[in-house]
């Protein structure tokens, strides 16, 4: 019983209740590295299902009982592994992971933040220290890439040039998915 409680505290500390996010209500979960904001349990379930962990599954505890616990564990394992392959461990790494309903919502959010139309399925906003993603086309590859941006941004006092940022995120993505 104590072991289960410790695992829950380590991987996923839920924040009870609903919180206003972008003029709607959403759920919020805290992990070691991320505040996860999602509009419905169904979207979280779909997102969790679409993240096939490959060799990283070894790091996920077998005693998790809820989708929330499993998803939180996956997010923290991915964040840990990205830091490891980049050899960058920012002090107090914490970012927001916004799960949006679909790829169109991701694109609309990008337009709202940056005023530019793009065809992204996910992105990291440096100014908000936040990843925006939908379950539509998500994968370990995409999450590792976006988390790579979060790690790089939080590691350096002065952000590296955009091309260096992108190369490091691509490196993290390849290392975690090959």
């Amino acid at each position: 019983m104590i072991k289960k409680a410790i695992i829950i505290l380590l991987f996923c500390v839920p924040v009870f209740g609903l919180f206003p996010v972008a003029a709607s209500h959403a759920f919020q979960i805290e992990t070691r590295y991320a505040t996860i904001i999602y509009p419905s349990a169904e979207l979280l379930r779909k997102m969790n299902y679409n993240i096939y962990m490959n060799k990283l599954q070894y790091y996920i505890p077998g005693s998790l009982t809820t989708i929330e616990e499993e998803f939180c564990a996956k997010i923290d394992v991915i964040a840990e592994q990205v830091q490891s392959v980049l050899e960058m461990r920012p002090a107090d790494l914490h970012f927001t992971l916004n799960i949006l309903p679909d790829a169109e919502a991701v694109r609309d959010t990008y337009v709202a933040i940056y005023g530019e139309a793009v065809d992204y399925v996910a992105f990291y906003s440096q100014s908000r220290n936040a990843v925006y993603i939908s379950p539509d086309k998500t994968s370990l590859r995409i999450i590792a890439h976006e988390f790579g941006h979060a790690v790089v941004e939080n590691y350096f006092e002065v952000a590296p040039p955009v091309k260096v940022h992108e190369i490091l995120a691509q490196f993290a993505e390849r290392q975690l998915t090959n």
Side-chain angles (χ1 to χ4, degrees):
M1 184 67 171
I2 293 174
K3 186 176 181 182
K4 184 177 179 180
I6 291 171
I7 289 172
I8 290 170
L9 288 174
L10 286 175
F11 288 106
C12 184
V13 179
V15 178
F16 298 100
L18 299 176
F19 295 85
V21 176
S24 67
H25 285 86
F27 297 94
Q28 180 173 316
I29 304 171
E30 294 290 330
T31 78
R32 181 174 177 192
Y33 297 108
T35 298
I36 302 166
I37 299 172
Y38 58 102
S40 71
E42 180 56 37
L43 275 179
L44 186 72
R45 188 174 299 109
K46 185 176 178 184
M47 186 84 169
N48 186 57
Y49 178 80
N50 288 341
I51 304 171
Y52 180 70
M53 295 294 283
N54 298 329
K55 62 187 175 191
L56 298 181
Q57 187 63 37
Y58 171 78
Y59 298 103
I60 305 294
S63 60
L64 304 176
T65 59
T66 68
I67 295 296
E68 291 84 358
E69 289 173 352
E70 182 179 338
F71 187 74
C72 289
K74 286 180 177 181
I75 294 307
D76 281 350
V77 165
I78 296 167
E80 274 287 333
Q81 293 300 310
V82 167
Q83 290 176 83
S84 180
V85 300
L86 292 176
E87 296 184 10
M88 296 178 184
R89 295 200 175 273
D92 302 321
L93 174 64
H94 199 84
F95 55 91
T96 303
L97 174 61
N98 295 284
I99 301 173
L100 302 175
D102 52 35
E104 182 179 351
V106 172
R107 292 187 295 272
D108 290 346
T109 301
Y110 192 92
V111 170
I113 295 171
Y114 297 108
E116 180 182 337
V118 295
D119 194 26
Y120 298 160
V121 295
F123 70 95
Y124 172 74
S125 170
Q126 294 173 332
S127 63
R128 296 175 182 214
N129 192 31
V131 172
Y132 296 86
I133 193 166
S134 81
D136 285 355
K137 296 185 181 187
T138 199
S139 66
L140 175 59
R141 179 174 294 268
I142 290 170
I143 292 172
H145 181 94
E146 299 309 331
F147 284 15
H149 284 299
V151 168
V152 169
E153 184 64 25
N154 283 274
Y155 182 76
F156 292 102
E157 259 184 59
V158 176
V162 173
K163 287 183 181 181
V164 173
H165 227 287
E166 190 60 30
I167 288 168
L168 291 169
Q170 289 173 5
F171 179 77
E173 165 191 336
R174 280 192 307 276
Q175 294 302 306
L176 265 63
T177 57
N178 287 336

